[in-house]
Amino acid sequence: MLASMARTIIVVALVLTACAEEATPPPQAESPTPEATFAPTEGSPSPTPPEGVECVDATATGRPEVTIRLVDNEFVPACLTVLGGQGLKLTNRGSALHNFSAEGTDVAIDIPPGETVRTEAIAGAVPSGAHVFFCEYHRSQGMEGLITVSEAG
Ligand SMILES: [Cu+2]
């Protein structure tokens, strides 16, 4: 009898606690200092690189492919402009499995550590314009970049 009463009281107490928690509005989530991100900012038509990120113009190299190195956990370079006719040479110099995905496209390529993956001409998979690219495993750690596929071939 006593034990069961005690149990009832505990249950009531738990319910009360639950109610109290629900009634209390969650503390206003303090908006954290926005991290550098490549996502389009409001009012900006296309994604832009964060301040301080240098963009590499690979269109003038005349090479059929452009190298992007993947390290733990960033792309080097993290911002580049390529010709539609250039392919990508994705080299994983890190110790983790990384991935190259381009937002708004079907491009999603895994590159195991120490390996290199070469793509066809990028125009076949990524339309001209600026596109955010990212590693789907480490995007939350800021592993993303911006690739601009030039209109000119
Ligand atoms: Cu990664």
Side-chain angles (χ1 to χ4, degrees), residues 35 135-144:
E35 291 205 14
C135 167
E136 64 180 52
Y137 310 118
H138 304 104
R139 189 175 196 178
S140 61
Q141 277 117 289
M143 191 167 177
E144 54 182 2

Side-chain angles (χ1 to χ4, degrees), residues 70-75 92 96-100 111 134-139 141 143:
L70 298 86
V71 298
D72 305 327
N73 290 321
E74 59 179 331
F75 292 100
N92 188 344
L97 171 67
H98 293 295
N99 166 282
F100 179 92
I111 307 104
F134 58 93
C135 167
E136 64 180 52
Y137 310 118
H138 304 104
R139 189 175 196 178
Q141 277 117 289
M143 191 167 177

Side-chain angles (χ1 to χ4, degrees), residues 47-132:
T48 48
E51 241 175 272
V53 171
E54 222 172 288
C55 286
V56 172
D57 182 1
T59 62
T61 60
R63 302 233 173 100
E65 62 184 15
V66 178
T67 301
I68 299 177
R69 290 192 303 280
L70 298 86
V71 298
D72 305 327
N73 290 321
E74 59 179 331
F75 292 100
V76 182
C79 183
L80 69 164
T81 302
V82 301
L83 294 171
Q86 288 176 310
L88 297 181
K89 182 181 164 190
L90 304 165
T91 299
N92 188 344
R93 292 273 173 78
S95 56
L97 171 67
H98 293 295
N99 166 282
F100 179 92
S101 294
E103 212 159 65
T105 74
D106 293 333
V107 176
I109 304 164
D110 273 0
I111 307 104
E115 294 198 17
T116 293
V117 173
R118 292 181 153 84
T119 74
E120 306 271 301
I122 194 161
V126 180
S128 56
H131 304 271
V132 171

